[in-house]
Amino acid sequence: MSKALLIIDVQEGYIEKYSPLLIACINERIQEATANKELIVYVKNTKRLKSGKKTNELAKDLNVCSEYIICKEKASAFSNSKLQETLKQNHITKIEIAGIDGNSCIASTAIDSVKNTYKTIVQYKCIGIQNIQRFEKTKRTLFEKGIIVK
């Protein structure tokens, strides 16, 4: 089974709202993924502003160990067809998602991942969550969709 690790929205301007330990946990997971020869895809959020589109750089402390970097303008990383192409080309069947935020882009990407028939995992320690109370409901939704939250 080929596995991919998606790193969602770990960008300057966003990551500062979360514990500094989050990047350390994500970097540790990136190191494991690299050692296990898993595909690593970094996903950057692009904001639409009146002045045009803006995409912040990946966080300076984030380990970037892959040339696969895609941008998205919607919550789900699957809104960019390049993600699906990359996953298919690499024969991916299982996806693990890390990054921010558990209630929005992580949840949306995880749900679309399952819709696209990928076995999907969200590791609690590798996701940032601003609203923990809301995440309790989000977590139930993820479980109901067949997503593993551990």
Side-chain angles (χ1 to χ4, degrees):
M1 182 183 304
S2 294
K3 187 174 180 182
L5 174 63
L6 304 185
I7 309 296
I8 310 284
D9 299 348
V10 182
Q11 293 165 261
E12 295 294 324
Y14 299 153
I15 196 66
E16 294 81 3
K17 297 173 188 156
Y18 301 87
S19 164
L21 296 175
L22 181 59
I23 284 192
C25 288
I26 292 171
N27 281 340
E28 189 177 297
R29 184 62 193 92
I30 290 169
Q31 194 172 356
E32 288 171 16
T34 302
N36 294 332
K37 297 186 176 13
E38 295 170 22
L39 176 71
I40 302 171
V41 180
Y42 298 85
V43 182
K44 299 192 321 185
N45 188 54
T46 298
K47 291 189 269 188
R48 287 180 178 267
L49 306 170
K50 287 181 182 172
S51 58
K53 295 178 184 178
K54 182 175 193 279
T55 306
N56 293 359
E57 291 304 314
L58 292 169
K60 65 181 180 308
D61 295 334
L62 181 67
N63 291 344
V64 180
C65 302
S66 162
E67 73 274 8
Y68 294 105
I69 301 172
I70 66 165
C71 294
K72 64 178 178 59
E73 293 183 24
K74 296 181 179 166
S76 173
F78 284 89
S79 63
N80 184 330
S81 61
K82 285 183 184 172
L83 176 59
Q84 190 73 283
E85 290 169 26
T86 300
L87 297 172
K88 281 193 168 113
Q89 286 169 357
N90 288 279
H91 311 287
I92 300 302
T93 56
K94 187 176 186 181
I95 292 176
E96 184 175 328
I97 302 170
I100 54 177
D101 183 277
N103 285 309
S104 54
C105 298
I106 299 291
S108 184
T109 299
I111 290 166
D112 281 354
S113 176
V114 167
K115 283 181 188 170
N116 283 285
T117 70
Y118 296 102
K119 182 174 181 187
T120 307
I121 300 165
V122 175
Q123 267 205 55
Y124 207 61
K125 70 176 187 170
C126 291
I127 61 169
I129 303 161
Q130 284 201 306
N131 184 332
I132 297 292
Q133 289 77 19
R134 187 171 148 218
F135 189 71
E136 288 307 311
K137 184 180 177 204
T138 301
K139 194 165 48 171
R140 281 194 298 278
T141 302
L142 296 176
F143 279 132
E144 287 165 8
K145 303 270 184 200
I147 297 155
I148 299 162
V149 181
K150 59 179 187 175

